[in-house]
Amino acid sequence: MSEEKQKTDDPVAVFILGELYGAEAPMSPDNLARAFYKPRAKKEDRPDSWRKYLPAVRQQALYLARSGRINIIRKGEVVDPKAPIKGLFKLAITEK
């Protein structure tokens, strides 16, 4: 494994990897964004404030998939992360 694949500085990417390593099943980007937001939530925040983290989760998931560290799963099949992904998808750690 190259040094570039091993190094991940982005806190969202680190969080995604940590959550997926401990998961028994693939996880949706929505659930990951909610989990990332939960410790950062303030009492005055709106219930859907977790959505502000969703673009970052999707962006980092795509980066991790393109680097071969996670899989993007759509309709039960692993999809090519370089192709456009439409619709609902889940994320899972790469089996090695």
Side-chain angles (χ1 to χ4, degrees):
M1 198 183 300
S2 71
E3 210 174 298
E4 184 178 326
K5 281 188 177 183
Q6 292 176 347
K7 185 178 180 187
T8 304
D9 291 331
D10 188 276
V12 175
V14 171
F15 178 80
I16 291 170
L17 289 172
E19 290 292 308
L20 292 179
Y21 275 118
E24 294 180 16
M27 297 180 72
S28 72
D30 292 5
N31 288 341
L32 289 166
R34 283 184 182 105
F36 188 77
Y37 164 73
K38 192 172 185 176
R40 293 160 179 80
K42 297 177 183 141
K43 286 185 178 184
E44 64 271 6
D45 285 348
R46 293 178 25 186
D48 66 345
S49 291
W50 61 270
R51 290 180 178 274
K52 66 183 170 188
Y53 294 105
L54 194 53
V57 167
R58 287 183 176 160
Q59 179 185 17
Q60 290 303 314
L62 194 56
Y63 166 75
L64 292 169
R66 287 180 177 163
S67 65
R69 298 179 72 186
I70 65 171
N71 288 324
I72 296 175
I73 301 170
R74 177 150 161 67
K75 295 184 179 180
E77 300 288 325
V78 175
V79 297
D80 179 10
K82 295 176 182 155
I85 301 167
K86 295 181 181 180
L88 300 174
F89 62 91
K90 293 192 177 193
L91 307 169
I93 207 72
T94 304
E95 299 287 328
K96 290 194 179 185

